[in-house]
Amino acid sequence: NSVSDAGVGALCALAAVEGAFLNVKINAAGIDDKIFTANLIKTSEEIELKAKDCRNEIIETVEKKIKEL
């Protein structure tokens, strides 16, 4: 069913964002400009939070749709 596919897609998208954030953090450690890296980490944290919010909203909708079946 496409409803569960939407949920799986949301979970995969969040995993991709979290993986990218891990890469940002490890790569930022090697950058000397600490002001730049602090801004980069802050922006990345905001993106991760938005992605989590989106995932939560999608999963909530998916669960609701499944209960309606």
Side-chain angles (χ1 to χ4, degrees):
N1 193 313
S2 62
V3 172
S4 62
D5 292 344
V8 171
L11 296 171
C12 290
L14 178 59
V17 170
E18 291 175 328
F21 187 28
L22 291 174
N23 286 331
V24 167
K25 289 189 280 189
I26 196 75
N27 291 326
I31 297 173
D32 292 331
D33 186 342
K34 298 307 174 194
I35 294 172
F36 172 77
T37 56
N39 288 329
L40 184 63
I41 296 295
K42 182 177 182 281
T43 300
S44 299
E45 288 171 343
E46 291 168 359
I47 292 168
E48 184 184 40
L49 274 174
K50 287 179 186 177
K52 286 179 179 180
D53 288 343
C54 287
R55 184 267 329 261
N56 292 342
E57 184 177 331
I58 293 167
I59 293 299
E60 182 179 311
T61 300
V62 167
E63 292 290 350
K64 181 180 174 186
K65 294 292 183 183
I66 289 172
K67 287 178 184 175
E68 292 173 358
L69 294 177

